[in-house]
Amino acid sequence: MFLLGRPLVLRWTLAVVLVLAAIYVDLRPPSTVDHPYAAFDLDAGDAIDRSSVLWRSVPKGLFEPVDLPASAGRQINRGQPILMADIDTRNVDVPDGWLVVEVPVPQGSVSGGAVVAIVAHFDAEPVSHPGVIVSTQDDRCSCAFPTDAAAEIAIALTENRVQILLGSSE
């Protein structure tokens, strides 16, 4: 009967395998990553950078990774995770023959939006120049205008004779 019994080697092997599996599960690296959450309310067009986010650990793969700095494409409430759907990913190219001027813009401006620069003249009627927003940063943004208009707008900015309006004049 002794020859027909189970060998103890299998029991010991199974016990060692179970103990090693438990040690691996306990000591494996965490499967979490840090993800940005809004530190305060962000409006569309606001810059999202390291100073405007809090980092929290989330399970790996829960959210698509977000590259910062970026521009908010819509309103993001405080404590909300920053998602790729919240980021303004439009890549706005400067049209050929146009120049970029940094200007103050109204709240709610987003990359790719149309603007009109109204330049006041002391001895003539105001002149309007259509443009496009290339990028936004807080209350200022980079706007592209035709070359001749960009020069006039840059000079008018230094003399405080320009106003930027959102939308197109057409």
Side-chain angles (χ1 to χ4, degrees):
M1 287 258 215
F2 183 70
L3 295 174
L4 299 177
R6 292 187 178 162
L8 291 177
V9 174
L10 291 177
R11 288 185 193 164
W12 282 104
T13 305
L14 181 61
V16 168
V17 168
L18 286 174
V19 169
L20 290 176
I23 290 172
Y24 170 75
V25 168
D26 194 40
L27 298 179
R28 71 178 173 203
S31 58
T32 61
V33 294
D34 287 337
H35 191 80
Y37 282 71
F40 46 83
D41 291 341
L42 298 167
D43 292 322
D46 286 352
I48 304 172
D49 55 18
R50 295 198 176 273
S51 66
S52 60
V53 298
L54 300 173
W55 294 91
R56 296 185 184 156
S57 292
V58 296
K60 187 182 271 185
L62 181 63
F63 300 123
E64 187 176 347
V66 177
D67 291 327
L68 297 180
S71 179
R74 59 183 174 196
Q75 182 177 0
I76 304 170
N77 295 324
R78 179 178 173 258
Q80 185 177 350
I82 308 293
L83 305 175
M84 283 304 292
D86 298 329
I87 302 296
D88 186 8
T89 57
R90 287 184 281 185
N91 222 356
V92 180
D93 293 328
V94 177
D96 289 337
W98 286 35
L99 298 175
V100 176
V101 179
E102 187 174 318
V103 296
V105 293
Q107 190 174 20
S109 60
V110 293
S111 297
V115 295
V116 176
I118 307 296
V119 179
H121 295 285
F122 297 114
D123 55 351
E125 290 290 317
V127 179
S128 66
H129 299 288
V132 63
I133 300 172
V134 176
S135 66
T136 61
Q137 181 77 21
D138 297 327
D139 62 341
R140 300 189 69 78
C141 74
S142 298
C143 293
F145 294 98
T147 304
D148 56 338
E152 183 180 1
I153 292 167
I155 293 169
L157 277 168
T158 62
E159 298 171 352
N160 205 20
R161 295 184 296 115
V162 67
Q163 184 66 39
I164 305 297
L165 309 175
L166 291 181
S168 70
S169 61
E170 299 169 357

